[in-house]
Each structure stands twice: as structure tokens, then as C-alpha cells.
Amino acid sequence: MGRPIIQLPEDLIRVQEMIFQLKPDVILETGVAHGGSLIFYASLFEAMRCKGCVIGIDIEIRPHNRAEIEAHPLFDRITLIEGSSVAPETVKKAKALVASGQKVLVILDSNHLRDHVRAELEAYCDLVCPGSYIVATDGVMREVADVPRGTSSWIEDNPTTAAREFAEAHPEFELAELPFTFNESTLDFQITHWTGAWLRRR
């Protein structure tokens, strides 16, 4: 829809299918970058002819990205919040945009280090109702710790570790990998950058 998006297409198709099934009222995403994922989620709400809205949070929304997002035809479904995703004032602003009883999907795609993701999980988990999800994306970084620009600390310092630790501390959530909706191949594993990402509220 005209904006760059930094995700594996397979993951976008999977989250699209889940959004269609879940039909959340609100998608809250930390990490805005160029705004492509916000536009993508807004376009899904538009295609489904529902009233869903998208909240995007980033510690820095660069002026040229903000201008492009705000000029997009789907911006009327999007609210931008600039600030650290774990700062109390940012969390308060985000939660004020969610009405009581709304079904919320939370997608974490900002700073991917374990401690930050754990803090985000703790900050936003209470928005997630039973049957919905909080998703800690990009756990694939543990698989690429030894490539150029990687670092060995990523083997443990990653979103997958944070999600696992969170699930152990919060029995109301379970790590629940989304099953194949359609699969005409012999693959029995998911091709994904979001390993161990899906935390479902029981």
C-alpha cells in the first residue's frame, strides 16, 4: 500500500489470517519505522469492512515517515504515539485509546532485546482478552547471531527468550504457535522470523 515494510511475507500472510479470524477492534503495535505494517493492518480492517483501528508507538517517528503516514488514505484508522513504548506516560496514552470491552491484538516490533520485550509484555498484556494474542516478533535474531551485524549475545538476548520467560511467569498466557490454515505441501514447520512469538490469552 505504498510504504516500506520490514517483515517476512510469510509472517504477514499468517498474521493477516489470524486478524481475519480474530477480528480485533484495536491492533496496537510498538515500532513504527516507515509505517508499512500500520498501513497493512489498516488496509485489512478496510477490506473486512469493520471499524478496527491501529495504534503505532515508536520512540522516534521521523518527520518524513510521519508525513507519509499522515498523508496516506488509510490514516483515519491510525493513531501515532511518539515515546518509549515502556515509559509509563506512553503506556498510559495508549491504554486511554482503548475502550472497555474492546478486543485488542498487541504486536511488539520495537527494541528486540530480551529485557525491553519483557517490559513491553508486562506493560501491555492486560489489554489482551481471552482468545486474543500478544506477539513478540523477530525471535529469528537468535538464529543469525553469527552473521555480519549480528552479535553472540542474541542467542539468549532476544524476543523468543522474553516470550518464554513471560509465559512461565503468567499462566494465563500460553505459547501457541498458529497452525497452518492451508497447507498443500509436505512442510510440517513454519517458515517464519517470529519464532516462539505467539502468546495467547487463555
Side-chain angles (χ1 to χ4, degrees):
M1 303 293 288
R3 296 301 299 150
I5 187 166
I6 311 169
Q7 295 294 351
L8 185 70
E10 180 78 8
D11 287 324
L12 294 178
I13 293 297
R14 185 169 296 112
V15 75
Q16 171 271 146
E17 193 64 32
M18 191 271 290
I19 290 168
F20 182 76
Q21 293 175 18
L22 185 64
K23 293 181 173 59
D25 300 296
V26 180
I27 298 174
L28 184 151
E29 182 174 61
T30 64
V32 170
H34 303 282
S37 56
L38 302 181
I39 299 298
F40 177 63
Y41 304 140
S43 75
L44 296 178
F45 283 140
E46 191 80 7
M48 292 190 297
R49 298 181 180 180
C50 63
K51 295 181 179 180
C53 63
V54 185
I55 301 168
I57 301 170
D58 205 302
I59 195 166
E60 179 188 12
I61 303 173
R62 295 176 180 173
H64 63 282
N65 287 329
R66 179 184 287 275
E68 291 290 340
I69 296 166
E70 292 180 350
H72 198 280
L74 293 172
F75 181 67
D76 61 343
R77 291 183 178 268
I78 297 169
T79 299
L80 296 173
I81 300 175
E82 187 165 6
S84 168
S85 60
V86 297
E89 61 271 21
T90 303
V91 176
K92 184 178 180 180
K93 286 179 184 177
K95 290 184 175 181
L97 296 171
V98 179
S100 177
Q102 286 191 310
K103 186 183 296 183
V104 182
L105 166 67
V106 177
I107 301 174
L108 307 177
D109 190 24
S110 62
N111 180 337
H112 294 306
L113 298 182
R114 175 178 56 190
D115 289 349
H116 186 84
V117 177
R118 273 303 306 271
E120 288 185 320
L121 288 164
E122 297 290 348
Y124 297 102
C125 67
D126 61 340
L127 289 175
V128 180
C129 64
S132 191
Y133 291 82
I134 185 166
V135 187
T137 70
D138 287 334
V140 71
M141 63 191 286
R142 69 180 181 176
E143 311 297 338
V144 295
D146 60 346
V147 304
R149 296 173 61 193
T151 174
S152 60
S153 64
W154 288 359
I155 294 171
E156 287 298 325
D157 197 2
N158 61 65
T160 301
T161 301
R164 184 184 69 246
E165 293 175 349
F166 176 83
E168 291 170 355
H170 291 265
E172 71 274 25
F173 283 86
E174 61 177 340
L175 282 167
E177 197 73 25
L178 292 182
F180 283 106
T181 305
F182 308 101
N183 184 16
E184 296 185 1
S185 75
T186 58
L187 285 176
D188 59 0
F189 61 90
Q190 305 279 10
I191 298 170
T192 182
H193 285 175
W194 298 359
T195 55
W198 300 85
L199 286 155
R200 182 180 181 274
R201 182 80 181 256
R202 299 179 192 269

